[in-house]
Every structure is written in structure tokens, then in C-alpha cells.
Amino acid sequence: MVWGKNIALCFVIFIMTTRKRKNLSLPQSESADGEPLKRLIQSQSDTNPVGHHHHLSPYFSMKDPVRLSDSFFHQSCVDLAKAFLGKVLVRKLTDGTELRARVVETEAYLGGEDKASHSAGGKRTERNTAMFMKPGTIYVYPIYGIYLCMNISSQGEGAAVLLRSLEPLSGHDVMRGLRAAKRKAGAKTLKDKELCNGPSKLCQALDVQRCFDRRDLATDTEVWLEKDPERETVPAGEVVSAHRIGVESHGEWATKPLRFYLRGHPCVSVLNRDAERQMHSQSSTDSQKTVS
């Protein structure tokens, strides 16, 4: 009788142990509704949010890109030239590829009394018509008969901002190929920082074409401007103001501090050490005044 009771007890213990093991096993992906596996994935997501994936590129955050609308361009020429810094220029090619590059250097051309401007004295021509169109209009013009430069009109009669240098963000190989097509055979491979570090270079790298002239940067489907997904604005302390490049023959306007660039950025076309030292000195003076 005792022997029979022991056998029954062992059988009950065996059944209970088996059930416990099943309950302790990992969620089964083969289950009918997959809920256990979904819960496991969800719990991992909750403890490791997307924003903490440090292996992702700093630019390619999970934030959605925000295209800048018409209102952004309604600024004075100098203000717009500074506002462009840090923004992302996007070029969509015919095959759907999107090239992206951050603006790191600009120049302001004020029109009117600015003797270095194509619209100096209010002069209007077939070439510079875009400078007199609404803010945000693209002005593309040729230099030396073979190269192009890209500008965007601002507020002010005949005023526009020249895009002088960009930092490549995506599509580097495509940019390198577009640049190579315009260079001599056997030329050395360009470094990333050399792809867009000049007004004509960036037009080559992003395949900016002459036919883009007079288009609206706020609504165009092939080229547009986006906010930097990492920060809203560039602090004033990071912006260097210096004289423009290639306007030496225009008297006092050759020395006007109408070129703006991000201090210390490797993609800037031409550094102005004097302007940077003066900027640093002024910053130190302001800090001392604040302390005192």
C-alpha cells in the first residue's frame, strides 16, 4: 500500500517539474500568435531606445528631415548668409539618389552699392535676373565659360547669397565620380573634405546644372534645403566673418567682412587667420567684461 502511494507521489512530482520547465523556457517564436516573442522584443526596445544606438552616423539620426519653406529665405542678405550655415543642401538625381551636404561657408552680395555684386548699381541683365526675383530663387551663373556657381536670392534689391563650401554627408562616392568626370585622367583621388570645398566644386559634386537658374529652392523637386537634424542653429561664436574671395579689384568692398564660415571646419575653402584671431580676442574681452 505504501509502495503504491510512493509511486503516485513520484508521478505527481514528475508532472509538476515538467510543467515548471515549460513555463521557464524562452518565448516560442513558433507559438500561434507570436505574443511571447513580441513581448521579448518590446522589452528590449524599451530598455535600448533607438536614440541610444551610438554606432549610427551623427547625421543619420532617426529624426525626420525638415525641408525649409519659403519663409526661411525672407531675410536680409547678411542674415540669410549666416542662417545658411549648418543647413543641409539636398540634390535628388534622376535615378532617385539623394546627395546631402552641410553648408559651411557662404558669401553675401548685397546688390545696389556693393561693387562686387553682379547687380551693383541696380544693373539688371539676362544673366542676373534671378537676383531680382523673390527670396529663395536659385541663381546659377557660369565662370571661365566652363564652371558654375550657385547663389540664392534674399531680401534686398538684387541681393543674393553665394554657397561657397559644403561638407559632404551622404553620397560621397557619387560626388567623387561627378567630380572625377570634370578632372584630368590620372588625377589623384579626392579626399572627402575636397569634394565640395569651393563654389564650382560643390556644383560639380552635386550636379548643379545651369538650368536650375531661376528655380525656387523652397519648392523645387531636384534640389532643396533642410534643417540640420542635430541642431536648430549655429551659435554666433562659431561663425567667422571675413572678406570675400576673388573680389580684390572692387575697392573698399574687397575688404568688407561679408564671407561667413564655421570656425575650424576642415571643408572651408579659405581660412582667414587674422579674422579668427580677432574673433577670439573679442570673445576673450567680452568674457572678462562679463566676469567683472
Side-chain angles (χ1 to χ4, degrees):
M1 190 70 175
V2 174
W3 177 254
K5 289 182 179 180
N6 288 341
I7 292 177
L9 180 60
C10 289
F11 179 77
V12 170
I13 293 173
F14 173 78
I15 293 299
M16 293 178 64
T17 302
T18 302
R19 287 180 177 176
K20 286 183 179 180
R21 286 176 179 173
K22 286 183 179 180
N23 290 335
L24 290 172
S25 63
L26 290 174
Q28 300 296 305
S29 60
E30 295 84 7
S31 62
D33 58 1
E35 284 304 315
L37 183 58
K38 288 180 182 178
R39 286 196 295 271
L40 176 62
I41 294 173
Q42 183 62 47
S43 66
Q44 291 175 336
S45 299
D46 292 341
T47 57
N48 187 20
V50 174
H52 292 172
H53 286 305
H54 296 293
H55 64 276
L56 293 176
S57 162
Y59 172 71
F60 289 106
S61 66
M62 300 304 291
K63 300 175 184 177
D64 292 330
V66 177
R67 179 171 181 160
L68 291 166
S69 62
D70 183 72
S71 61
F72 170 79
F73 303 100
H74 284 262
Q75 304 185 52
S76 71
C77 193
V78 170
D79 287 344
L80 184 60
K82 293 178 180 179
F84 265 118
L85 297 176
K87 302 302 185 291
V88 178
L89 186 66
V90 184
R91 169 73 168 100
K92 187 172 184 177
L93 303 179
T94 53
D95 65 356
T97 299
E98 291 185 359
L99 308 178
R100 279 180 164 78
R102 181 180 287 110
V103 181
V104 300
E105 184 180 3
T106 60
E107 290 180 349
Y109 288 87
L110 311 182
E113 62 179 354
D114 183 354
K115 291 180 168 53
S117 176
H118 289 177
S119 57
K123 179 182 179 181
R124 296 188 187 218
T125 65
E126 178 64 22
R127 182 179 77 160
N128 75 2
T129 296
M131 299 184 77
F132 294 90
M133 295 174 68
K134 79 178 192 69
T137 301
I138 300 171
Y139 172 39
V140 179
Y141 65 86
I143 57 173
Y144 308 122
I146 53 175
Y147 302 117
L148 297 175
C149 292
M150 180 178 175
N151 306 254
I152 297 90
S153 66
S154 67
Q155 287 184 338
E157 190 75 1
V161 175
L162 171 70
L163 298 184
R164 183 160 188 87
S165 291
L166 309 176
E167 173 197 358
L169 296 174
S170 66
H172 296 65
D173 291 340
V174 176
M175 293 183 194
R176 193 169 284 108
L178 288 166
R179 285 292 314 280
K182 302 288 186 180
R183 306 177 74 220
K184 295 180 179 179
K188 68 181 182 69
T189 302
L190 294 171
K191 299 177 182 178
D192 287 353
K193 68 178 183 180
E194 298 172 325
L195 292 174
C196 303
N197 64 336
S200 295
K201 294 176 182 178
L202 69 87
C203 284
Q204 290 178 1
L206 271 65
D207 194 28
V208 172
Q209 302 172 14
R210 185 75 172 88
C211 64
F212 287 8
D213 186 52
R214 305 184 194 180
R215 290 190 185 182
D216 186 355
L217 194 59
T219 60
D220 199 83
T221 58
E222 294 184 88
V223 60
W224 63 86
L225 201 67
E226 294 176 352
K227 290 183 179 179
D228 185 326
E230 296 304 312
R231 58 181 179 176
E232 188 70 21
T233 59
V234 173
E238 294 182 23
V239 179
V240 178
S241 301
H243 64 76
R244 295 171 293 187
I245 306 299
V247 297
E248 293 78 11
S249 62
H250 296 288
E252 63 174 316
W253 286 92
T255 59
K256 298 283 187 181
L258 294 173
R259 180 166 66 98
F260 310 99
Y261 66 84
L262 298 183
R263 183 174 60 178
H265 201 289
C267 294
V268 171
S269 64
V270 180
L271 299 178
N272 188 314
R273 297 301 187 188
D274 290 338
E276 292 184 17
R277 279 192 290 269
Q278 184 177 356
M279 178 181 173
H280 178 71
S281 176
Q282 183 62 44
S283 177
S284 299
T285 301
D286 292 342
S287 295
Q288 291 176 358
K289 287 181 180 179
T290 301
V291 173
S292 61

